[in-house]
């Protein structure tokens, strides 16, 4: 069935472009035929839409290698997306829910968290070392819930057996059965908010558009499972391109403009404030040639006033780019008018790999693609000598603080164009208590917006918020039939296309 659909798409595009600028239809037909005959494609960490793949192939020269013009290249990209079950011309819902009407903030990653979301790549052995390394560090933590997405009961049983064999007990792991397309939970998982309703602190979440069709349901489904309010923001934007200091300042790269060309910057910035409480937006340039454009590939907000920025050796094409980023952030201030302290971490040399159907790809290894989970920070490592310097940069910053710096082997996963941060999404503790937190009720800890919740909060992930007028069956995504679909929680998998286009 997929092959029939792809052939129809190919013929439509070839006919549609027959009288345009197709320089060599023979080259295009050969590329499309090879694509049509291929097995399942690797789900790279590239936003699954036409502009993102055009950006990748423009950067790596793949269209030239295939002998295609840009117009013919777009035909190839559209066919590639169809091969993965993705509509290359999705209609972003215009009638989605409005943004929160109450004051909100996005808790910073360095604040206290209660959970972390992961989609385990069961069956992809080269990636398991990264996931097992992370899960071993989370295992048994009484203050942390680990939410693991699995396809069905058989997948759950197989994963539990695998983890047990690796010495991981999983006592604090919670499994959710739902179909997914990829492992990139940072990008399709929910971004959690702390919402202030009549001085009460309420947790809610934002569900942004993501073009892998099954991944796009995940945030809305979790909102239903957890019975928390959900707000849909119809934009092509991923969590990997967002950092928040928890007090109204946020960071993105210009990738947010690149992949939303019809949205004026003024509209984007207003929506960042409306949905995330982002009153001050610091937008920096992305790495030259890096496919995702995500800020987490070269920058990390470690504390309210401290940003780690990568640094290449002089002479590297991105040396000047990251010097400019560091200078721009150092010249900026937060909402209190305080400047940011910029510290540097080395960036490993870029190398190339060949991937069928994606061409020669530059691999950008990054130590900033790390994850802060309470008193631990998990840092990607690549089995190279520079790992020592990368870890030491964190050790120097956290010297004298109650923080453990842990390296996680990311040598294989980085060739999928992501690492530790890209495959995790943290869930803050803030907002679940429903306490009377307000701007006048701040204690002397590092929490923000007057929130004094702690990890010992009696509330749980199943807390039913009285301020929420949504229901567990909330239709969060305009394309989602029902968030109470029997494809979640209870193990009923009613999707015939199990893990289409994913990494299994």
């Amino acid at each position: 069935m997929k092959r029939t659909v792809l052939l129809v798409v190919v013929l439509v595009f070839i006919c549609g472009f027959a009288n345009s600028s197709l320089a060599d239809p023979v080259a295009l037909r050969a590329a499309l035929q090879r694509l049509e005959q291929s097995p399942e494609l690797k789900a790279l960490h590239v936003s699954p839409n036409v502009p993102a793949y055009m950006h990748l192939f423009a950067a790596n020269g793949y269209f030239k290698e295939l002998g295609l013009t840009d117009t013919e290249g777009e035909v190839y990209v559209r066919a590639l997306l169809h091969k993965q079950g993705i509509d290359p011309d999705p209609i972003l819902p215009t009638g989605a829910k409005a943004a929160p009407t109450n004051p909100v903030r996005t808790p910073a990653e360095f604040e206290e968290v209660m959970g972390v979301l992961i989609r385990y790549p069961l069956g992809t052995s080269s990636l398991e070392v990264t996931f097992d390394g992370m899960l071993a560090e989370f295992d048994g933590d009484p203050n942390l819930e680990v939410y693991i997405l699995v396809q069905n009961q058989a997948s759950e049983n197989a994963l539990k057996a695998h983890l047990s064999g690796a010495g991981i007990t999983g006592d604090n792991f919670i499994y959710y059965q739902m179909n997914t397309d990829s492992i990139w939970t940072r990008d399709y998982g929910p971004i959690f908010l702390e919402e202030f309703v009549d001085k009460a602190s309420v947790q809610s979440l934002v569900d942004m558009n993501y073009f892998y069709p099954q991944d796009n349901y995940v945030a809305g489904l979790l909102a239903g499972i957890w019975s928390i309010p959900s707000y849909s923001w119809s934009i092509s934007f991923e969590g990997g391109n967002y950092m928040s200091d928890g007090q109204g300042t946020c960071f993105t790269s210009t990738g947010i403009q690149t992949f939303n060309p019809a949205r004026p910057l003024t509209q984007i910035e207003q929506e960042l404030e409306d949905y995330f409480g982002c009153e001050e937006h610091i937008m920096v340039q992305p790495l030259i040639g890096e496919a995702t454009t995500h800020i987490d590939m070269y920058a990390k907000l470690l504390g309210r006033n401290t940003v780690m920025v990568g640094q290449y050796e002089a002479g590297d094409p991105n040396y000047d780019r990251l010097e400019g980023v560091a200078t721009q952030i150092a010249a900026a201030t937060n909402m209190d008018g305080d400047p940011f302290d910029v510290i540097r971490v080395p960036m490993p040399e870029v190398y190339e790999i060949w991937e069928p159907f994606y061409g020669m790809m530059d691999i950008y290894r990054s130590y900033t693609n790390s994850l802060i989970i309470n008193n631990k920070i998990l840092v990607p490592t690549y089995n190279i000598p520079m790992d020592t310097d990368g870890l030491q940069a964190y050790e120097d910053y956290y010297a004298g603080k109650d923080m453990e710096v842990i390296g996680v082997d990311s040598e294989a996963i980085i060739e999928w164009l992501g690492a530790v941060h890209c495959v995790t999404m943290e869930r803050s503790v803030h907002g679940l208590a429903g306490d009377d937190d307000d701007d006048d009720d701040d204690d002397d800890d590092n929490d923000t917006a007057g929130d004094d919740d702690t990890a010992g909060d009696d509330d749980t992930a199943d807390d039913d918020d009285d301020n929420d007028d949504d229901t567990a069956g909330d239709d969060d995504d305009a394309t989602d039939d029902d968030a109470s679909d029997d494809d979640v929680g209870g193990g009923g998998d009613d999707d015939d296309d199990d893990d289409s286009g994913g990494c299994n």
Side-chain angles (χ1 to χ4, degrees):
M1 181 63 182
K2 282 187 179 180
R3 177 169 295 185
T4 301
V5 171
L6 181 59
L7 286 172
V8 170
V9 170
V10 168
L11 290 172
V12 168
F13 280 128
I14 289 178
C15 293
F17 284 97
N19 296 319
S20 64
S21 56
L22 294 182
D24 186 2
V26 174
L28 177 59
R29 286 193 179 95
L32 293 174
Q33 183 177 25
R34 191 168 70 94
L35 178 65
E36 184 262 330
Q37 293 173 347
S38 73
E40 294 297 324
L41 305 178
K42 178 187 287 188
L44 296 178
H45 188 215
V46 178
S47 183
N49 57 57
V50 172
Y53 275 100
M54 292 293 286
H55 174 80
L56 169 65
F57 294 147
N60 70 2
Y62 193 44
F63 291 155
K64 183 178 180 179
E65 180 182 331
L66 292 175
L68 307 180
T69 66
D70 287 346
T71 301
E72 294 166 334
E74 183 175 343
V75 178
Y76 179 84
V77 165
R78 290 172 175 273
L80 185 149
L81 291 171
H82 270 286
K83 178 76 175 180
Q84 299 181 76
I86 301 164
D87 182 358
D89 294 303
I91 299 175
L92 295 180
T94 56
K97 291 183 204 172
T101 57
N102 300 300
V104 297
R105 74 181 187 97
T106 313
E109 187 180 320
F110 52 77
E111 297 180 49
E112 193 168 10
V113 303
M114 63 164 289
V116 60
L117 177 69
I118 289 176
R119 191 279 213 178
Y120 193 94
L122 193 64
T124 308
S125 58
S126 64
L127 305 187
E128 289 175 355
V129 62
T130 301
F131 285 79
D132 289 356
M134 294 189 297
L135 291 175
E137 294 299 330
F138 302 150
D139 191 23
D141 186 339
N143 296 319
L144 185 70
E145 296 178 339
V146 182
Y147 314 116
I148 302 182
L149 305 181
V150 292
Q151 301 299 112
N152 48 40
Q153 189 62 53
S155 297
E156 180 176 336
N157 293 343
L159 179 53
K160 287 178 176 178
H162 167 80
L163 294 178
S164 177
I168 299 172
T169 64
D171 291 341
N172 56 328
F173 295 2
I174 301 171
Y175 293 87
Y176 293 130
Q177 295 175 17
M178 58 180 74
N179 283 327
T180 53
D181 298 295
S182 74
I183 58 176
W184 312 113
T185 54
R186 174 63 50 179
D187 294 340
Y188 62 79
I191 294 181
F192 293 93
L193 305 177
E194 183 174 19
E195 187 171 355
F196 300 96
V197 185
D198 296 329
K199 294 187 177 181
S201 174
V202 178
Q203 186 172 92
S204 56
L205 62 81
V206 175
D207 177 5
M208 298 184 293
N209 192 77
Y210 198 66
F211 292 117
Y212 280 125
Q214 295 178 127
D215 291 348
N216 198 34
Y217 296 146
V218 168
L221 293 171
L222 291 174
I225 291 170
W226 293 328
S227 297
I228 64 176
S230 174
Y231 302 98
S232 292
W233 184 13
S234 301
I235 188 171
S236 179
F237 182 44
E238 300 87 38
N241 197 24
Y242 180 69
M243 301 191 303
S244 167
D245 75 343
Q247 293 193 330
T249 301
C250 66
F251 299 76
T252 74
S253 84
T254 56
I256 194 172
Q257 287 183 291
T258 300
F259 300 137
N260 295 281
R263 264 184 169 88
L265 179 58
T266 53
Q267 179 184 346
I268 290 173
E269 292 187 324
Q270 183 60 59
E271 291 174 340
L272 282 169
E273 181 174 355
D274 293 343
Y275 282 90
F276 293 147
C278 176
E279 299 180 61
E280 178 69 24
H281 176 209
I282 299 173
M283 186 169 64
V284 296
Q285 292 290 325
L287 291 174
I288 299 169
E290 196 275 321
T292 70
T293 75
H294 290 175
I295 196 169
D296 66 359
M297 292 300 290
Y298 57 93
K300 184 75 176 182
L301 193 58
L302 295 177
R304 186 178 170 222
N305 300 104
T306 304
V307 182
M308 176 181 280
V309 176
Q311 185 171 41
Y312 281 102
E313 295 286 342
D316 187 280
N318 274 300
Y319 173 78
D320 288 339
R321 173 58 56 88
L322 290 192
E323 295 309 295
V325 169
T327 299
Q328 179 182 348
I329 293 175
T333 58
N334 63 20
M335 293 299 296
D336 291 335
D338 298 325
F340 290 98
D341 180 28
V342 175
I343 62 177
R344 308 305 295 271
V345 65
M347 296 284 283
E349 184 179 3
V350 175
Y351 69 95
E352 292 182 327
I353 64 168
W354 167 259
E355 274 292 337
F357 316 109
Y358 298 114
M360 191 67 73
M361 297 194 306
D362 287 338
I363 303 302
Y364 293 79
R365 293 168 288 187
S366 165
Y367 298 112
T368 62
N369 202 261
S370 56
L371 176 70
I372 303 171
I373 295 291
N374 298 327
N375 65 340
K376 293 181 178 181
I377 182 162
L378 277 56
V379 181
T381 57
Y382 306 101
N383 298 309
I384 58 176
M386 190 180 285
D387 290 345
T388 301
D389 296 330
L391 294 172
Q392 190 61 50
Y394 286 95
E395 294 283 3
D396 292 344
Y397 173 72
Y398 288 114
K401 301 180 177 71
D402 181 22
M403 179 66 77
E404 185 179 2
V405 178
I406 301 161
V408 176
D409 187 338
S410 302
E411 181 180 10
I413 196 172
I414 197 62
E415 295 191 353
W416 293 54
L417 308 186
V420 171
H421 197 248
C422 301
V423 294
T424 53
M425 176 60 81
E426 70 283 347
R427 182 184 184 186
S428 172
V429 302
H430 300 301
L432 284 179
D435 291 336
D436 290 334
D437 291 341
D438 59 30
D439 290 340
D440 299 320
D441 185 29
D442 198 10
D443 53 23
D444 58 359
D445 61 16
N446 291 326
D447 296 340
T448 58
D451 186 79
D452 61 0
D453 295 336
T454 67
D457 189 345
D458 290 335
D459 292 339
T460 68
D462 297 322
D463 179 28
D464 187 10
D465 185 355
D466 294 335
N467 293 302
D468 179 11
D469 60 359
D470 296 337
T471 66
D474 176 23
D475 186 8
D476 182 64
D477 187 282
T479 60
D480 188 358
D481 292 333
D482 193 334
S484 56
D485 181 347
D486 63 1
D487 192 25
V488 302
D493 181 3
D494 64 353
D495 197 318
D496 294 330
D497 185 14
D498 190 15
D499 202 25
S500 171
C503 58
N504 289 343

